[in-house]
Amino acid sequence: MKAVVAREYGTHEVLAVEDVPAPRPGPGQILVRVRAASLNPADLRMLSGAERASAPLEFPHVPGNDFAGTVAEAGPGVTRFAAGDEVFGLGMPRPAAAAAALVSSPPSLTTGTVAEYAVFEADAPALALRPAGLDPVRAATLPTAGLTALPLVRADAFGPGRTVLVVGASGGVGTAAVPLLAATGAHVIATAAGGDGEHVRGLGAAEVIDYRAADTAEAVLERRPDGVDTLINLVLRGDDVLEAARAVRPGGRVLTIAFPAPERDDVRIVLTDARPGDLDALAAKALDGTLPPPPVRTYALDDAVRAYADLATRHTAGKLVVLP
């Protein structure tokens, strides 16, 4: 089969499209013919070696977590899925089993989704049947983004009368978090580059701040001198989070998904979390319009290395999706 492969740690430049043996499903596993694979910054972080101490990669390594596809074969003991089922979800590289256990129980692992075929653990709640009305590309954009946005929304008492600042609203997680927050009735202030502002408003943001044209905290405090109730940070790292946190009222909360995070009592790290039924709920919200589709750029598998280069070096709004 064709797959994107790395044979050593490095940047996107160590990736290549190669012919490699297709994986085989073992007991409790399914083999999926991948129809769409959505890229995530975490793919490049793993490749860089930043997680080497806790999750050393095995080479050759095929990147990719998010996918939509068709079950080609069910391994021994699998009863949840059968050949021909349309499925979607996410899996983490097998060396990252300890981290995957924090995402779902049982952990969701994969051989890598940016490939023609990938193997997954059948019973992981981070996998689900794809509804007929949800096309594969849209389904592939949902898992990591949606399963990170849902825990953020669950982490605070969002609702009418609450104000929330979302930093990094035009990225993959932001395009899921903003409409979910808006659906609670919270007043959403979002940051986005100038060209992405209208799209973020369309997702449900009541106000948009162009972070390239103004200091985010100062712009918020000009509008709301008492500050916002909650900051949701999707992109800033380290002390940059604290700069944005100046916009939070005394006693407010700071939620972040970006590492490293500042070590402060009012800063809470929120991890991707897959509970049973979450993917079904996200699919239903995508179908009923609660979760509008993000901007998507698609690439053929032969162009997947360029997709990772774009992810690494270009401003990306929405999601990049490879179509094996």
Side-chain angles (χ1 to χ4, degrees), residues 206-220:
E207 302 177 55
V208 177
I209 294 171
D210 184 349
Y211 64 88
R212 292 179 175 177
D215 177 272
T216 296
E218 291 180 4
V220 171

Side-chain angles (χ1 to χ4, degrees), residues 13 17 19 37 56 82 94 103 110 113 125 147 150 153 172 206 272 284 304 317:
E13 294 178 346
V17 178
D19 287 309
R94 287 174 173 170
V103 174
T110 184
T113 62
L147 294 175
L150 277 177
V153 175
T272 304

Side-chain angles (χ1 to χ4, degrees), residues 59-71:
F59 297 103
H61 167 69
V62 177
N65 295 353
D66 289 1
F67 80 99
T70 307
V71 177

